[in-house]
Amino acid sequence: MARMSDPLVVGRVIGDVIGCFTPSVKISVTYNSNVRVYNGHEYFPSSIATKPRVEVHGGDMRTFFTLVMTDPDVPGPSDPYLREHLHWIITDIPGSTDASFGREMVEYETPRPNIGIHRFVFILYKQKRRDAVKHFPSARDGFSTVRFAEENDLGPPVAAVYLNAQRETAARRR
């Protein structure tokens, strides 16, 4: 179970996006082959614009995973009435590989926060079998990670990591 010092608790990922869970595998998220995501760290949107490499550490080639990337702070963290905004879904990721071996069911959308600091959350679920995920959202806004997991019988997450980003001004990009 999550501890009060857990970055997912401190960052309100647990509560706003997912419920408590016990991690059983690890994921690493890397942008541009050298920008690794660490829980709660802030990144410039320009450094996370391209599709990241997501690696699953744990499981085996007979185990399949689903990855969801979402922004729970849309349009802004003080009034996130469009919560959540879906950025990416990949299914059928074999254990101990990277997400490029899975099936991209919702195309990657570059994070573009407009107001305030946004959290971009990567959640990994273990599938019961290959091709288990059948229900996909019709829109990116108003997405619910919890509802998606329930509709597809995914159970609790097995891993999660999140980053923070805010709009870059021209001066910050230099």
Side-chain angles (χ1 to χ4, degrees), residues 31-135:
Y31 284 89
N32 302 319
S33 74
N34 64 349
V35 179
R36 179 130 184 229
V37 172
Y38 295 98
N39 274 322
H41 288 213
E42 186 171 345
Y43 301 86
F44 291 124
S46 59
S47 68
I48 58 171
T50 60
K51 189 184 302 184
R53 178 183 174 108
V54 179
E55 295 176 280
V56 177
H57 308 280
D60 55 46
M61 296 304 281
R62 295 180 310 269
T63 308
F64 294 94
F65 297 93
T66 293
L67 176 77
V68 174
M69 179 187 177
T70 185
D71 176 355
D73 300 316
V74 175
S78 62
D79 185 20
Y81 64 87
L82 295 176
R83 176 178 289 168
E84 302 166 36
H85 182 83
L86 177 63
H87 280 269
W88 203 19
I89 294 178
I90 301 174
T91 64
D92 298 332
I93 303 166
S96 299
T97 65
D98 70 70
S100 66
F101 290 98
R103 293 177 32 209
E104 187 176 56
M105 303 309 286
V106 175
E107 188 176 331
Y108 181 76
E109 182 179 89
T110 300
R112 290 187 184 96
N114 286 327
I115 304 165
I117 299 172
H118 288 239
R119 296 165 293 167
F120 295 92
V121 186
F122 297 85
I123 306 110
L124 190 69
Y125 292 94
K126 183 178 177 182
Q127 296 174 202
K128 294 192 187 308
R129 67 191 173 291
R130 188 180 188 130
D131 296 320
V133 179
K134 303 289 185 197
H135 304 281

Side-chain angles (χ1 to χ4, degrees), residues 19 21 28 59 66 81 108 145 155-156 168 174:
F21 72 99
S28 61
T66 293
Y81 64 87
Y108 181 76
T145 300
E168 278 181 83
R174 288 188 204 147

